[in-house]
């Protein structure tokens, strides 16, 4: 399989894939049976008071019903089924209503260290035990044991943040030859997408950001029918049934938006929010690991875009042709009397004037009906526009509130940072003051130690009478000598006379000391 063949195959087989499984001997649930199963479970979940699960199942009720009618019942004993991204009661329904003997799940709870989680799925008094492997399916190898006849893969692929084909390769590996893959993803070109695009909002099903993202896995990539079918074909799967459903609204409610889509050449049936596919493993291994439509911008514009450009040109041409015919149709509807009064002349070629008048009257009626529809469509568009304007105004108001709150938080954060800086400065000053106090304390301790030592020496001297006498004498003699020296300096004559006496006294003092 090459890139060119893949896109040619997807585009050429788009109209030939049935919306429901056909042409096989497998059995399926009817619409009524699926509704009964889902509603019974809903009643039980609501009565039990599990608000989260009830809200989820209530919102996805239509998708769950459609999905149940596309899953084949188990063939024979020992049939094995793997539910990837287990949630709700799909695994319970597979065991109780589709006849699968072994049902295994895959979940991912990073906060739980257990490699395997055991859960009980209950409806009334009936309980089904489910064994689920706890790991990230983006990993290169899966700890799942054995091969499976059927794999469920509902509303999970759009959350894969790296290498979706790697996940599809793992699914191919655990499916037995001829095994069935039942899978669903949101449709990125639904009526909701067109509505968001027309008011200037992101054309994504799920793009809002919440302050707390821990509870909310986001959509990393949203698929279109072309990309979804390309993914299945590149994974070695042959699509047996492909259905695009209105899971959260109806075509009647969205007629105004769908009218715009039909004007652009789209089929309103392809504008539902959810795509469901039933595919069979047709070959072992993935024939095209990295399709350009998913992985290569350069490859996309070289292999895929030229084919899509032909489709784009055809739709533009159809739109231009329809636009060119509109003034002529409008003029005919504005002058209906001219059509009625345009009686055929007595030309020999006008052999059936009455039939021609009748045909013209029928054409006029059709044109009038078409004009009425266009007027209703225009009125509906105006109402839809007013509703959208109200929604946009509300969103802008909420945005202003968030921006104001963000500014307040930024101001509070700046004040907090300033207080932290002041506290850090005060802490640094306190540390310097503490260092100075410690140094001063050490100096005081050293001085105290010196004083204590001096006191000890002084006390020792006081306790020695002989030494005290010597000190006293020494001080007296030293005073006498100093006094004599002072007098001698003032009187040169006395100094000459007293010098021998001073020296003798000094020697005597030294001897006495």
């Amino acid at each position: 399989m090459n890139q060119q063949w893949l896109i040619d195959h997807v585009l050429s087989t788009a109209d030939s894939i049935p919306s429901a499984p056909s042409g096989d001997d497998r059995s399926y649930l009817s619409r009524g049976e699926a509704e009964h199963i889902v509603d019974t479970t809903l009643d039980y979940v609501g009565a039990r008071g599990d608000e989260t699960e009830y809200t989820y199942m209530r919102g996805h009720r239509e998708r769950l019903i459609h999905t149940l009618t596309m899953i084949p019942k188990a063939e024979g004993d020992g049939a094995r089924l793997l539910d990837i991204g287990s949630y709700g009661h799909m695994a319970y329904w597979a065991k109780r209503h589709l006849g699968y003997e072994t049902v295994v799940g895959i979940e991912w709870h990073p906060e739980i260290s257990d490699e395997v989680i055991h859960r009980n799925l209950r409806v009334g008094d009936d309980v089904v035990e489910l064994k689920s492997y706890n790991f990230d399916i983006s990993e290169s190898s899966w700890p799942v044991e054995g091969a499976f006849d059927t794999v469920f893969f509902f509303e999970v692929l759009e959350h894969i943040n790296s290498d979706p084909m790697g996940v599809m390769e793992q699914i191919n590996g655990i499916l037995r030859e001829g095994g069935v893959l039942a899978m669903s993803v949101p449709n990125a070109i639904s009526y909701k997408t067109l509505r968001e695009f027309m008011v200037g909002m992101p054309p994504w099903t799920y793009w809002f950001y919440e302050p707390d993202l821990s509870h909310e896995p986001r959509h990393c990539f949203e698929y279109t029918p072309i990309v979804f079918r390309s993914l299945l074909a590149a994974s070695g799967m042959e699509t047996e049934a492909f259905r695009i459903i209105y899971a959260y609204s109806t075509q009647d409610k969205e007629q105004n938006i769908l009218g715009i889509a039909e004007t652009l050449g789209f089929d309103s049936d392809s504008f539902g929010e959810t795509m469901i596919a039933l595919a069979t493993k047709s070959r072992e291994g993935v024939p095209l690991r990295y399709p350009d439509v998913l992985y290569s911008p350069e490859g996309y514009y070289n292999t895929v875009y030229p084919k899509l450009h032909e489709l784009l040109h055809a739709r533009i041409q159809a739109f231009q042709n329809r636009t060119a015919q509109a003034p002529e149709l409008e003029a005919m509807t504005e002058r209906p009397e001219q059509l009625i009064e345009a009686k055929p002349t007595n030309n020999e070629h006008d052999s059936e004037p009455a039939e021609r008048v009748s045909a013209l009257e029928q054409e006029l009626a059709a044109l009038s009906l078409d004009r009425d529809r266009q007027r209703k469509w225009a009125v509906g568009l105006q109402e839809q526009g007013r509703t959208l304007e109200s929604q946009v105004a509300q969103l802008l108001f909420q945005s202003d509130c968030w921006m104001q709150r963000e500014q307040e938080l930024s101001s509070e954060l700046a004040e907090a940072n300033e207080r932290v800086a002041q506290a850090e400065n005060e802490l640094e000053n306190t540390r310097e003051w503490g260092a100075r106090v410690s140094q001063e304390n050490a100096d005081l301790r050293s001085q105290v130690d010196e004083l204590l030592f001096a006191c000890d020496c002084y006390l020792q001297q006081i306790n020695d009478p002989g030494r005290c006498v010597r000190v006293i004498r020494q001080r007296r003699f030293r005073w006498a000598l100093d006094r004599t020296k002072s007098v001698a300096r003032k009187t040169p004559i006395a100094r000459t006379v007293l010098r021998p006496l001073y020296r003798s006294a000094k020697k005597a003092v030294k001897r006495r000391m």
Side-chain angles (χ1 to χ4, degrees):
M1 178 185 294
N2 56 39
Q3 304 285 353
Q4 190 65 49
W5 180 91
L6 176 65
I7 193 64
D8 289 341
H9 173 74
V10 169
L11 292 177
S12 61
T13 60
D15 296 332
S16 62
I17 301 176
S19 61
S22 61
D24 58 32
D25 55 356
R26 293 174 295 193
S27 59
Y28 300 84
L29 294 172
S30 66
R31 168 82 187 193
E33 291 173 330
E35 287 181 348
H36 176 72
I37 292 170
V38 174
D39 290 340
T40 300
T41 306
L42 265 173
D43 292 341
Y44 169 73
V45 173
R48 190 178 57 182
D50 191 338
E51 184 177 355
T52 301
E53 186 173 2
Y54 179 81
T55 302
Y56 178 86
M57 290 184 63
R58 187 77 226 173
H60 291 256
R61 176 181 178 274
E62 191 66 22
R63 176 183 66 82
L64 295 172
I65 293 172
H66 278 278
T67 301
L68 279 176
T69 62
M70 292 182 68
I71 302 172
K73 293 183 179 180
E75 297 180 313
D77 299 332
R80 289 168 51 83
L81 182 141
L82 176 66
D83 184 9
I84 303 175
S86 299
Y87 187 83
H89 285 74
M90 188 61 73
Y92 174 89
W93 298 334
K95 193 172 184 65
R96 284 292 181 261
H97 301 287
L98 298 176
Y100 287 91
E101 181 175 333
T102 302
V103 178
V104 179
I106 295 178
E107 306 176 48
W108 188 34
H109 301 282
E111 72 280 4
I112 300 177
S113 60
D114 298 337
E115 296 181 356
V116 177
I117 300 174
H118 295 277
R119 294 197 293 120
N120 291 330
L121 303 178
R122 179 187 297 273
V123 176
D125 296 331
D126 188 23
V127 180
V128 169
E129 296 182 359
L130 176 65
K131 170 187 174 182
S132 289
Y133 293 91
N134 183 26
F135 69 96
D136 183 4
I137 62 175
S138 298
E139 297 176 0
S140 57
S141 60
W142 290 9
V144 180
E145 300 176 353
F148 293 88
D149 301 281
T150 302
V151 171
F152 287 173
F153 196 29
F154 302 125
E155 307 299 298
V156 177
L157 186 67
E158 65 273 12
H159 299 285
I160 303 300
N161 58 9
S162 63
D163 196 15
M165 279 299 299
V167 177
M168 298 303 296
E169 184 178 25
Q170 294 292 334
I171 292 176
N172 181 288
I174 62 177
L175 267 176
R176 65 168 179 82
E177 189 70 24
V180 171
L181 170 65
M183 183 175 176
S184 70
V185 293
N187 181 16
I189 54 170
S190 67
Y191 69 87
K192 184 180 183 299
T193 303
L194 180 58
R195 178 195 296 160
E196 299 291 349
F197 175 78
M198 290 175 62
V199 297
M201 299 302 288
W204 272 49
T205 301
Y206 186 27
W207 57 269
F208 292 96
Y209 286 91
E210 295 287 345
D212 178 16
L213 299 179
S214 61
H215 69 289
E216 186 178 17
R218 318 201 64 75
H219 287 190
C220 300
F221 185 86
E222 293 189 340
Y223 294 81
T224 67
I226 291 177
V227 180
F228 187 25
R229 288 195 296 265
S230 299
L231 181 90
L232 291 171
S235 304
M237 304 290 173
E238 181 179 354
T239 305
E240 296 187 8
F242 191 85
R243 190 180 300 177
I244 302 177
I245 66 170
Y246 286 77
Y248 315 109
S249 185
T250 63
Q251 295 192 41
D252 293 338
K253 292 181 181 179
E254 308 300 335
Q255 191 58 47
N256 294 331
I257 296 297
L258 295 178
I260 298 175
E262 290 175 349
T263 303
L264 298 175
F266 289 95
D267 183 4
S268 61
D269 292 336
S270 65
F271 261 58
E273 313 98 332
T274 304
M275 299 179 291
I276 308 173
L278 179 67
T280 302
K281 178 178 176 179
S282 59
R283 59 186 298 173
E284 193 68 35
V286 172
L288 187 58
R289 180 62 174 79
Y290 296 101
D292 287 345
V293 73
L294 271 175
Y295 287 90
S296 173
E298 181 180 358
Y300 167 79
Y301 284 106
N302 289 333
T303 61
V304 181
Y305 183 74
K307 295 294 182 180
L308 299 182
H309 185 71
E310 296 176 3
L311 179 60
L312 174 63
H313 179 73
R315 285 180 173 166
I316 292 176
Q317 188 64 41
F319 176 76
Q320 291 176 344
N321 294 338
R322 183 167 183 172
T323 304
Q325 295 174 1
E328 181 180 354
L329 295 176
E330 184 69 19
M332 294 176 66
T333 55
E334 290 179 354
R335 298 188 300 274
E337 66 281 356
Q338 295 182 7
L339 293 176
I340 297 177
E341 294 176 357
K343 303 293 184 180
T345 61
N346 293 327
N347 193 306
E348 60 181 0
H349 298 289
D350 297 332
S351 57
E352 298 179 353
E355 294 181 1
R356 184 176 179 182
V357 170
S358 177
L360 289 174
E361 290 177 348
Q362 292 178 1
E363 184 177 358
L364 175 61
L367 290 174
S368 299
L369 181 60
D370 185 63
R371 185 181 181 184
D372 291 339
R373 290 177 179 175
Q374 291 180 358
R375 288 176 177 172
K376 292 180 180 178
W377 178 59
V379 172
L381 277 180
Q382 292 176 354
E383 294 179 355
Q384 187 72 18
R386 286 192 291 269
T387 302
L388 291 176
E389 288 178 359
S390 176
Q391 294 175 354
V392 170
Q394 184 177 2
L395 287 174
L396 291 174
F397 174 74
Q398 294 176 354
S399 177
D400 291 340
C401 293
W402 278 104
M403 291 178 65
Q404 182 178 0
R405 179 57 179 163
E406 182 180 2
Q407 293 175 355
E408 293 176 356
L409 291 175
S410 300
S411 177
E412 293 176 1
L413 180 60
E415 294 177 358
N417 291 334
E418 185 177 356
R419 289 196 297 268
V420 170
Q422 293 176 356
E424 291 177 350
N425 190 21
E426 292 177 359
L427 178 61
E428 185 65 24
N429 294 336
T430 302
R431 288 175 178 172
E432 294 177 357
W433 175 78
R436 289 197 302 270
V437 170
S438 298
Q439 184 63 35
E440 292 175 358
N441 191 22
D443 295 341
L444 289 174
R445 287 184 177 180
S446 177
Q447 295 175 7
V448 169
D449 291 340
E450 292 179 0
L451 289 174
L452 290 175
F453 178 75
C455 288
D456 290 340
C457 295
Y458 181 74
L459 290 174
Q460 290 178 2
Q461 293 176 1
I462 293 176
N463 292 332
D464 187 357
R467 180 169 178 76
C468 290
V469 172
R470 289 194 298 272
V471 170
I472 292 171
R473 287 177 179 177
Q474 181 181 1
R475 289 179 178 177
R476 287 180 178 177
F477 290 141
R478 176 63 64 185
W479 178 84
L481 290 175
D482 291 341
R483 184 66 179 170
T484 302
K485 189 175 181 180
S486 177
V487 173
R489 287 176 178 174
K490 294 179 180 180
T491 56
I493 299 175
R495 180 176 58 190
T496 304
V497 175
L498 295 175
R499 182 177 293 171
L501 181 63
Y502 173 79
R503 291 177 177 175
S504 299
K506 186 176 181 180
K507 291 180 180 179
V509 170
K510 288 184 177 180
R511 285 195 300 267
R512 295 292 301 269
M513 291 176 64

